[in-house]
Amino acid sequence: MNLKDFLNEEQYEAVTTIDGPLLILAGAGSGKTRTITYRIAHMIKDLEINSYQILAITFTNKAAKEMKERVRSLIGQVAENMWISTFHSLCVRILRREIEKLGYTKSFTIYDFYDQKTLVKQCMEILKINTDNFEVSEVIRKISNYKNKFIKPSEAISQEAGYREKIFAKIYELYENKLHENNSLDFDNLIFKTIELFEKFPDVLAFYQSKFKYIMVDEYQDTNYSQYYLVKLLALKYKNICVVGDDDQCIYQWRGADINNILDFEKDYKDTKIIKLEKNYRSKANILNAANKVILNNLRRKDKVLRPINSDGEKLKLFKAGSAEEEALFVVNEILRIMKSKGYEYKDFGILYRTNSQSRIFEEIFVKHQIPYKLIGVVRFYERKEIKDIIAYIKTVVNPNDEVSLRRIVNEPKRGIGDATIDKLFEYAEQNGITLFDSMVACGEISTISTRTSNTIKEFVNIIFELREEKELKTSEFIKLVLKKVGYIDFLKNSKDSEAQTRLENIEEFINAAVNFEDLNYGASIDEFLENITLISEVDKYDEASSSVTLMTLHSSKGLEFPVVFMVGMENGIFPSNKCFDEVDEMEESRRLCYVGITRAKDILYFTYANLRMVYGETNFRTKSKFLTEIPRDLIVDINFDGDEKIVQKNESLTKFGKFSYDQKFNEPSKIKNNISKDEIKIGRKIKHKTFGNGMIVKIEDNVDDVKLYVAFDNNGVKKLLLDKAPIEFI
DNA sequence: TAATAGGATATTTTT
DNA sequence: TATCCTATTA
Ligand SMILES: Nc1ncnc2c1ncn2[C@@H]1O[C@H](COP(=O)(O)OP(=O)(O)OP(=O)(O)O)[C@@H](O)[C@H]1O
């Protein structure tokens, strides 16, 4: 391959350094992912390394898929046996082969957050823990923390000293036992159990160590301890390990990512070669410079160089909206405007926000104005109630031990098996050391259950038994069979649920998804289908080819790029969130998130915020984000609703709060150019504008919080300007 | 046991 | 505001 045609010198060096530990530490848009991709292609095509020996780990399934496709097009052939995947998919793949060694069966189910929640609640009930003092979500976070640090339940119990901590550890232990009983793993367990497997069975580890002679990890800054440890185990034999990342883009500390994994890499691996990529290929210079300036405010970081190769481009634009609605309307307006004037398409726009809840208003307004959009959100398709119900049926059929799923569907649709009955069944199961399902089979033996109820239970059990006979059906056929046997469709049709129609449509779509899956994965089993839908994430459905604008959180945007980016809701309390103001670490992580957001933009970057916004059903005043004040003034310009320039400097005599205005205290010190007093501003007065040149004031609007000037420019017609903000001088 | 009403509670971020 | 949970009643 003619690598030098596609890579700069440093990238080239990284691609051709194959042996030994290699750290590529580089800023946003410097071509890190590109470098890994070419590195893989180079290994296979030029060095004739067997693709079987390569392992590449990406952050999302989407990134993995893309990398696979890129590599394929570079080497001109399919490399089927190459492992490019996320940590989670990698581990599932290993565990599906080996998990019997750990006492699970191969048809284990993967629990998502909601299943996890149900199970934790159960555990807390069993341990009689008062939910007033211990919140379920807090417990889940705690348990997740243990697993991210590879702390086993027994270790947690012996290590924890505090009263609350001891209780957390206890729940953790019971939760783990329950998971095992249910033959299930949660997300974190996928990694945890893989490590456990490697520790307990050195021969298995040795096999994978020999197999993966070359290992690459993208987005390494966001790995947690367990992931780090897993990689370390795998790389131990050959030490051909290449990690790539940017410490300034570490945005998942809250879920256990440890920035030190990347910072201490060289301490961990002797003779590490470090390569820095210092050219940014993605963004216009103004955008990049703003990003660089913002991140400079983080004190705990390694300084690095990132130079633009692109021209300045347009200045960053800031719009202050009166309300959240206006904010969304502005975005619509701008999208349409610059599509027309600059020829962008819908797919060129990314709208990024801090919290998922912010997307709603945008959806509403986009629908109203017929802007095609794609929402990358948290309420995933597969998490809708009706879909989860069907999945729970499938899981119950596939994995007889899965109690969480069983409980979910035992009375869904309502068939008269209520809480009281379930408690009785549960008790019986406990006493006899059998599973809940088995106690249902034996429900005739339980004297406290009426014959009528026990008949209903038997009916249900029979449905499951009959379905188990049909496991070998194609997934889509199987789903249809479930629906038929259970009578789910009729149940929905007859229900008064106002959403029944949508639910039916969703089920329709679910079946389509299954058909789709079968087409793509010929002969795949139902287990594989389940796994696929549990591990698939939201960003994975982002498709840059589709002709719609994209709505997503800043977190999801990591690794992507858009010609035009809107960062919306730039308000203190939202971004950065209130918590950040108490904790430096949180603030710095937030700032990194801001850095990530800014650097997604290639050509044009907008910031918006709303003066008034409803939060929790209460409308309150907002102030503009602290991060905005960290952007140098000469890189950003205030614009009005129609996208015309408004701002730049402050006029001292008109500031309401005396010499040190609020803005001056919290923003970059603004230059005060004129000592003009209010009564000197009158119609007929000559002024000079930074971009529009000389002109004369023709009208003055004195509002409560700003003064609007209508200025007739000698060469630019009449413009509306804000006295406060416009870059004007009085002459 | 099922359905409903009223109250508490939440918004970070996700594989 | 919207959702989720609990307690009450039919
Ligand atoms: N040598 C190069 N020549 C031309 N374009 C390049 C080069 N290197 C990178 N690019 C382009 O720059 C953009 C950013 O590349 P890439 O996504 O690989 O960067 P990254 O460092 O992984 O970014 P991030 O850290 O933001 O995820 C891409 O559009 C890529 O095609």
Side-chain angles (χ1 to χ4, degrees), chain A residues 298-328:
Chain A
N298 273 4
L299 302 175
R300 297 184 41 222
R301 72 175 210 114
K302 272 191 181 173
D303 203 15
K304 65 163 88 68
V305 180
L306 191 58
R307 286 185 305 271
I309 63 143
N310 291 306
S311 59
D312 283 356
E314 293 183 35
K315 288 193 178 172
L316 285 60
K317 296 158 196 279
L318 173 62
F319 176 69
K320 172 184 183 177
S323 62
E325 288 76 27
E326 200 196 358
E327 182 181 42

Short mmCIF file of all heavy atoms in Angstrom, two decimals, chain A residues 298-328:
data_model
loop_
_atom_site.label_atom_id
_atom_site.label_comp_id
_atom_site.label_asym_id
_atom_site.label_seq_id
_atom_site.Cartn_x
_atom_site.Cartn_y
_atom_site.Cartn_z
N ASN A 298 -8.59 23.40 32.07
CA ASN A 298 -8.41 22.24 32.93
C ASN A 298 -6.99 22.22 33.44
O ASN A 298 -6.04 22.28 32.66
CB ASN A 298 -8.70 20.95 32.14
CG ASN A 298 -10.17 20.58 32.16
OD1 ASN A 298 -10.99 21.34 32.70
ND2 ASN A 298 -10.50 19.44 31.60
N LEU A 299 -6.86 22.13 34.76
CA LEU A 299 -5.52 22.21 35.32
C LEU A 299 -4.85 20.85 35.38
O LEU A 299 -3.64 20.73 35.24
CB LEU A 299 -5.59 22.84 36.71
CG LEU A 299 -6.22 24.23 36.68
CD1 LEU A 299 -6.40 24.79 38.08
CD2 LEU A 299 -5.39 25.19 35.83
N ARG A 300 -5.68 19.84 35.57
CA ARG A 300 -5.10 18.51 35.71
C ARG A 300 -5.05 17.81 34.35
O ARG A 300 -5.88 16.99 34.03
CB ARG A 300 -5.93 17.69 36.69
CG ARG A 300 -5.93 18.28 38.10
CD ARG A 300 -6.69 17.38 39.05
NE ARG A 300 -6.39 15.99 38.78
CZ ARG A 300 -7.30 15.02 38.77
NH1 ARG A 300 -8.55 15.31 39.00
NH2 ARG A 300 -6.95 13.78 38.53
N ARG A 301 -4.08 18.18 33.57
CA ARG A 301 -3.97 17.51 32.28
C ARG A 301 -2.58 17.69 31.70
O ARG A 301 -1.83 18.55 32.12
CB ARG A 301 -5.01 18.06 31.31
CG ARG A 301 -4.69 19.46 30.84
CD ARG A 301 -5.67 19.93 29.79
NE ARG A 301 -4.96 20.88 28.92
CZ ARG A 301 -4.70 20.67 27.64
NH1 ARG A 301 -5.09 19.57 27.06
NH2 ARG A 301 -4.05 21.56 26.93
N LYS A 302 -2.27 16.84 30.73
CA LYS A 302 -1.00 16.97 30.02
C LYS A 302 -1.20 17.96 28.90
O LYS A 302 -2.13 17.81 28.10
CB LYS A 302 -0.62 15.61 29.42
CG LYS A 302 0.17 14.72 30.34
CD LYS A 302 0.71 13.55 29.53
CE LYS A 302 1.50 12.59 30.41
NZ LYS A 302 1.87 11.37 29.70
N ASP A 303 -0.32 18.91 28.81
CA ASP A 303 -0.47 19.88 27.73
C ASP A 303 -0.07 19.22 26.41
O ASP A 303 0.80 18.37 26.37
CB ASP A 303 0.44 21.09 28.00
CG ASP A 303 -0.08 22.30 27.25
OD1 ASP A 303 -1.24 22.26 26.80
OD2 ASP A 303 0.67 23.28 27.12
N LYS A 304 -0.78 19.59 25.37
CA LYS A 304 -0.39 19.01 24.09
C LYS A 304 -0.63 20.01 22.95
O LYS A 304 -1.33 21.00 23.12
CB LYS A 304 -1.13 17.71 23.83
CG LYS A 304 -2.63 17.85 23.67
CD LYS A 304 -3.21 16.62 23.02
CE LYS A 304 -3.57 15.51 23.99
NZ LYS A 304 -4.69 15.82 24.86
N VAL A 305 -0.04 19.72 21.84
CA VAL A 305 -0.14 20.61 20.70
C VAL A 305 -1.17 20.06 19.72
O VAL A 305 -1.22 18.87 19.48
CB VAL A 305 1.22 20.70 19.97
CG1 VAL A 305 1.13 21.63 18.78
CG2 VAL A 305 2.30 21.14 20.94
N LEU A 306 -1.99 20.92 19.20
CA LEU A 306 -2.91 20.50 18.15
C LEU A 306 -3.09 21.68 17.21
O LEU A 306 -3.71 22.68 17.55
CB LEU A 306 -4.24 20.06 18.76
CG LEU A 306 -5.21 19.36 17.81
CD1 LEU A 306 -4.58 18.11 17.20
CD2 LEU A 306 -6.49 18.97 18.53
N ARG A 307 -2.51 21.55 16.04
CA ARG A 307 -2.54 22.66 15.08
C ARG A 307 -3.55 22.40 13.98
O ARG A 307 -3.69 21.28 13.51
CB ARG A 307 -1.16 22.80 14.42
CG ARG A 307 -0.09 23.42 15.30
CD ARG A 307 1.17 23.61 14.47
NE ARG A 307 1.61 22.36 13.85
CZ ARG A 307 2.43 21.50 14.45
NH1 ARG A 307 2.89 21.75 15.65
NH2 ARG A 307 2.78 20.39 13.83
N PRO A 308 -4.21 23.46 13.56
CA PRO A 308 -5.15 23.27 12.44
C PRO A 308 -4.39 23.20 11.13
O PRO A 308 -3.33 23.79 10.99
CB PRO A 308 -5.98 24.55 12.49
CG PRO A 308 -5.11 25.56 13.15
CD PRO A 308 -4.19 24.83 14.08
N ILE A 309 -4.92 22.45 10.20
CA ILE A 309 -4.35 22.53 8.84
C ILE A 309 -5.32 23.28 7.94
O ILE A 309 -5.01 23.62 6.82
CB ILE A 309 -4.06 21.14 8.24
CG1 ILE A 309 -5.36 20.34 8.09
CG2 ILE A 309 -3.06 20.36 9.05
CD1 ILE A 309 -5.35 19.50 6.84
N ASN A 310 -6.53 23.51 8.46
CA ASN A 310 -7.54 24.19 7.66
C ASN A 310 -7.48 25.71 7.86
O ASN A 310 -6.88 26.20 8.81
CB ASN A 310 -8.93 23.69 8.04
CG ASN A 310 -9.13 22.26 7.61
OD1 ASN A 310 -8.95 21.94 6.44
ND2 ASN A 310 -9.47 21.40 8.55
N SER A 311 -8.16 26.42 6.98
CA SER A 311 -8.24 27.88 7.09
C SER A 311 -9.10 28.27 8.27
O SER A 311 -9.77 27.43 8.87
CB SER A 311 -8.85 28.44 5.81
OG SER A 311 -10.13 27.88 5.63
N ASP A 312 -9.09 29.57 8.61
CA ASP A 312 -9.86 30.05 9.75
C ASP A 312 -11.32 29.65 9.70
O ASP A 312 -11.89 29.22 10.69
CB ASP A 312 -9.80 31.59 9.82
CG ASP A 312 -8.47 32.05 10.35
OD1 ASP A 312 -7.66 31.18 10.72
OD2 ASP A 312 -8.24 33.27 10.39
N GLY A 313 -11.92 29.82 8.58
CA GLY A 313 -13.36 29.55 8.47
C GLY A 313 -14.17 30.63 9.15
O GLY A 313 -13.64 31.68 9.50
N GLU A 314 -15.44 30.34 9.33
CA GLU A 314 -16.31 31.33 9.95
C GLU A 314 -16.07 31.36 11.46
O GLU A 314 -15.61 30.40 12.05
CB GLU A 314 -17.78 30.98 9.68
CG GLU A 314 -18.13 31.10 8.22
CD GLU A 314 -19.61 30.82 7.99
OE1 GLU A 314 -20.43 31.17 8.86
OE2 GLU A 314 -19.93 30.24 6.94
N LYS A 315 -16.43 32.49 12.04
CA LYS A 315 -16.36 32.56 13.49
C LYS A 315 -17.45 31.69 14.10
O LYS A 315 -18.47 31.42 13.47
CB LYS A 315 -16.53 34.00 13.95
CG LYS A 315 -15.31 34.83 13.63
CD LYS A 315 -15.33 36.15 14.34
CE LYS A 315 -14.05 36.88 13.98
NZ LYS A 315 -14.05 38.26 14.47
N LEU A 316 -17.24 31.31 15.35
CA LEU A 316 -18.27 30.56 16.05
C LEU A 316 -19.43 31.50 16.31
O LEU A 316 -19.23 32.70 16.46
CB LEU A 316 -17.72 30.01 17.37
CG LEU A 316 -16.78 28.80 17.25
CD1 LEU A 316 -15.55 29.10 16.43
CD2 LEU A 316 -16.38 28.30 18.62
N LYS A 317 -20.62 30.94 16.37
CA LYS A 317 -21.80 31.79 16.49
C LYS A 317 -22.56 31.47 17.76
O LYS A 317 -22.74 30.31 18.10
CB LYS A 317 -22.72 31.58 15.28
CG LYS A 317 -22.06 32.01 13.98
CD LYS A 317 -22.74 31.32 12.81
CE LYS A 317 -21.90 31.39 11.57
NZ LYS A 317 -22.02 32.67 10.87
N LEU A 318 -23.02 32.53 18.41
CA LEU A 318 -23.75 32.35 19.65
C LEU A 318 -25.11 33.00 19.55
O LEU A 318 -25.23 34.17 19.18
CB LEU A 318 -22.96 32.99 20.81
CG LEU A 318 -23.65 33.06 22.16
CD1 LEU A 318 -23.97 31.68 22.69
CD2 LEU A 318 -22.76 33.79 23.17
N PHE A 319 -26.14 32.23 19.87
CA PHE A 319 -27.49 32.79 19.85
C PHE A 319 -28.14 32.66 21.21
O PHE A 319 -28.17 31.59 21.80
CB PHE A 319 -28.36 32.08 18.80
CG PHE A 319 -29.78 32.55 18.81
CD1 PHE A 319 -30.11 33.84 18.39
CD2 PHE A 319 -30.79 31.71 19.25
CE1 PHE A 319 -31.43 34.27 18.42
CE2 PHE A 319 -32.12 32.13 19.27
CZ PHE A 319 -32.44 33.42 18.85
N LYS A 320 -28.64 33.79 21.70
CA LYS A 320 -29.37 33.77 22.96
C LYS A 320 -30.86 33.77 22.66
O LYS A 320 -31.38 34.72 22.07
CB LYS A 320 -29.01 35.00 23.78
CG LYS A 320 -29.87 35.16 25.01
CD LYS A 320 -29.52 36.46 25.72
CE LYS A 320 -30.34 36.59 27.00
NZ LYS A 320 -29.98 37.79 27.75
N ALA A 321 -31.53 32.72 23.05
CA ALA A 321 -32.95 32.62 22.79
C ALA A 321 -33.73 33.04 24.01
O ALA A 321 -33.22 32.98 25.13
CB ALA A 321 -33.32 31.19 22.41
N GLY A 322 -34.97 33.46 23.79
CA GLY A 322 -35.79 33.84 24.92
C GLY A 322 -36.29 32.62 25.67
O GLY A 322 -36.44 32.64 26.88
N SER A 323 -36.50 31.55 24.94
CA SER A 323 -37.06 30.35 25.54
C SER A 323 -36.53 29.13 24.82
O SER A 323 -35.88 29.24 23.78
CB SER A 323 -38.57 30.37 25.39
OG SER A 323 -38.88 30.35 24.00
N ALA A 324 -36.83 27.98 25.37
CA ALA A 324 -36.38 26.74 24.73
C ALA A 324 -37.02 26.57 23.34
O ALA A 324 -36.40 26.06 22.43
CB ALA A 324 -36.73 25.54 25.61
N GLU A 325 -38.27 27.04 23.23
CA GLU A 325 -38.94 26.94 21.92
C GLU A 325 -38.21 27.79 20.89
O GLU A 325 -37.95 27.35 19.77
CB GLU A 325 -40.39 27.44 21.98
CG GLU A 325 -41.36 26.56 22.70
CD GLU A 325 -41.21 26.66 24.20
OE1 GLU A 325 -40.76 27.73 24.69
OE2 GLU A 325 -41.51 25.68 24.89
N GLU A 326 -37.87 29.01 21.31
CA GLU A 326 -37.18 29.88 20.37
C GLU A 326 -35.84 29.29 19.98
O GLU A 326 -35.39 29.39 18.84
CB GLU A 326 -37.00 31.28 20.96
CG GLU A 326 -36.75 32.30 19.86
CD GLU A 326 -36.19 33.62 20.37
OE1 GLU A 326 -36.02 33.79 21.59
OE2 GLU A 326 -35.90 34.47 19.53
N GLU A 327 -35.20 28.66 20.95
CA GLU A 327 -33.91 28.02 20.68
C GLU A 327 -34.07 26.99 19.55
O GLU A 327 -33.30 26.98 18.58
CB GLU A 327 -33.40 27.35 21.96
CG GLU A 327 -32.04 26.71 21.80
CD GLU A 327 -31.58 26.03 23.10
OE1 GLU A 327 -32.42 25.37 23.75
OE2 GLU A 327 -30.39 26.16 23.44
N ALA A 328 -35.09 26.17 19.68
CA ALA A 328 -35.31 25.14 18.67
C ALA A 328 -35.71 25.77 17.33
O ALA A 328 -35.26 25.32 16.27
CB ALA A 328 -36.38 24.16 19.14
#
